[in-house]
Each structure stands twice: as structure tokens, then as C-alpha cells.
Amino acid sequence: INAEYMGKQVKKVMFDCRNDSDALYHQYGVILRGVQDVQILELMLRTQNFAYQRPFYRDKVFKLAGFGDCVMRFGSLADRAFTQLKKDVHARMGHVSSMWDERPLSAELLEYAAGDVMCLLPIHYSLIRKCGNVPDLEGFSEVYVDYYRTVPERSSFDQHPYISKSCFRLKMRPYRCQLCLRSVSSEEISPSKICWPCKENARQKCRRIARDIVASVLQNAPDV
């Protein structure tokens, strides 16, 4: 199995392989190769090969689409119905953290675990048809494979839906983001030594906090 994971002959269709690649390498010594990442494929289609019309931070950051969003946009009717099951299971996971430790697994959890894989290939084929002449998808996916794998220590700041446009260009990465701890190039780092994706994530968090404060003040304001 290790040879298939580490070889390029067998193509691995995945969705956001970054955490899986990190876990395979640091827990089992497996260097994942030959990946075609569907999240990158969706980004290629949406941005027309990264020439996005409305980027964050002056063309520095893209917002990534989640799996559920891709299912709703490119999946079949059956696939879309599966997203409701995912929402239900996620809601339960917030209250019962040990539900995956139970054996045997319930039929609902088995369907949940298999559903991602069942939806993935049809979405991959749909995106390939829409993209037409796909550029170096495996080359871009290699950048994704290394995204967290080369980080010396994982940070709680690295879980956000933003990615630097310039990270897909092969270049030297002599700088380290002070939040997510990734090695980045000069194009990916801000003057404050924080990478542009982390900076955008922080900005969006501040905006959400400000909206919540305003909503709370308006809700509790006395009627005039």
C-alpha cells in the first residue's frame, strides 16, 4: 500500500489533501505523491487558472471552496442529499465526541464515511469536463501535498479557507509566518511577518466580531 501512496503511477483523487499528507508522513513515514486535488481543480475553474476577478488583499489571496459547496454545485441530486447527512452528523459530533469510538459503527456513520468518496469522483469528472484543457494539476497538487508536511510544528492558526495565489509558483521560501509557521516566499509574507492568508483570516475574524457586537448592541438597545 505504501508503494501505491508514494508512487505517481496510481493517481490519487483527493479533496484538500494537506492534512492527510501531513498525517501520513509524520505518523507512517509515507510521502504522498501522484495526487489530483479536487479543491485546486475547483479553484482553477472558478478563477480561470488563478486570474480571479475579485481577490482579497490586492490579488494575493484566494478563498477556497469547501467540499459541501462543491457537492452542491457539481454533484448529483443524490450527492446533494448527502450534504444534509453530513450536517446532521457534524451537529452530533459537537455533543458526542466519542461517537467514532463505538463499535460496530452505526449505519449512519458508515454512510457518512463512505459518502465523501462516493461523491468525489463524479465531482472530479464534472470539473475536468468544465475546465477543458487542465494545466499542471498534479504539479499544483504537489504544492498542496507539502503545504503542512514541511511545517516543524502545527499551529491552531493554519485552519482557515484562504490560500496565497503565489504559493503555486515554485520559488525559494526563506521566511516563516509568525502565525501558521509555514515557510513562505517574499511574495507570500506581509511586512508584519504574517503570511497574506493568515492576515486575511484575521481580518475576517475581526469583521465577524464587529458584526456580532453591533448586532448585540442593537438587540439590547431600548426602544425609542
Side-chain angles (χ1 to χ4, degrees):
I1 294 178
N2 283 3
E4 293 181 355
Y5 276 125
M6 299 171 71
K8 291 189 175 183
Q9 292 78 12
V10 178
K11 306 303 179 187
K12 276 73 73 176
V13 177
M14 305 179 71
F15 189 94
D16 193 358
C17 65
R18 294 174 295 175
N19 286 313
D20 293 329
S21 172
D22 179 46
L24 285 170
Y25 178 71
H26 288 102
Q27 296 181 29
Y28 302 103
V30 173
I31 301 175
L32 189 62
R33 292 191 179 93
V35 172
Q36 294 188 1
D37 199 288
V38 174
Q39 191 174 52
I40 293 179
L41 192 56
E42 186 278 336
L43 184 62
M44 287 181 175
L45 176 66
R46 177 161 46 95
T47 63
Q48 298 179 339
N49 299 337
F50 306 138
Y52 192 31
Q53 300 295 321
R54 297 188 301 127
F56 298 96
Y57 270 108
R58 298 188 301 277
D59 205 26
K60 294 183 182 297
V61 178
F62 293 131
K63 185 174 183 179
L64 298 165
F67 185 70
D69 179 55
C70 289
V71 171
M72 296 302 293
R73 290 165 57 205
F74 306 109
S76 64
L77 291 176
D79 294 338
R80 294 170 195 169
F82 168 70
T83 59
Q84 184 57 50
L85 172 65
K86 285 183 69 73
K87 291 179 181 178
D88 294 341
V89 173
H90 273 292
R92 288 176 52 204
M93 287 169 61
H95 301 287
V96 186
S97 59
S98 62
M99 59 190 298
W100 289 100
D101 296 331
E102 300 174 4
R103 292 294 184 274
L105 291 174
S106 66
E108 182 184 46
L109 291 184
L110 289 173
E111 184 179 357
Y112 172 94
D116 286 352
V117 179
M118 294 171 63
C119 298
L120 190 57
L121 280 179
I123 293 172
H124 176 258
Y125 294 144
S126 175
L127 285 167
I128 289 290
R129 288 195 300 268
K130 292 178 182 296
C131 284
N133 183 24
V134 179
D136 189 12
L137 176 58
E138 287 193 30
F140 290 133
S141 297
E142 283 293 321
V143 176
Y144 235 36
V145 166
D146 276 336
Y147 200 81
Y148 294 139
R149 191 170 65 187
T150 55
V151 176
E153 183 180 356
R154 292 295 297 271
S155 163
S156 59
F157 292 99
D158 63 20
Q159 298 300 306
H160 55 69
Y162 303 104
I163 193 166
S164 170
K165 176 180 179 179
S166 60
C167 79
F168 293 102
R169 303 173 191 153
L170 296 178
K171 61 180 76 68
M172 296 294 292
R173 294 183 168 87
Y175 302 98
R176 190 173 298 281
C177 173
Q178 299 299 306
L179 292 182
C180 69
L181 306 180
R182 288 191 310 111
S183 295
V184 296
S185 69
S186 58
E187 297 177 28
E188 298 177 79
I189 197 78
S190 72
S192 57
K193 304 303 180 185
I194 297 173
C195 70
W196 292 114
C198 283
K199 202 170 182 68
E200 176 61 28
N201 185 52
R203 188 174 77 91
Q204 294 296 336
K205 282 185 175 181
C206 290
R207 292 184 64 184
R208 288 193 295 270
I209 292 171
R211 285 197 300 265
D212 291 344
I213 292 173
V214 170
S216 177
V217 169
L218 292 176
Q219 184 179 4
N220 297 318
D223 297 331
V224 178

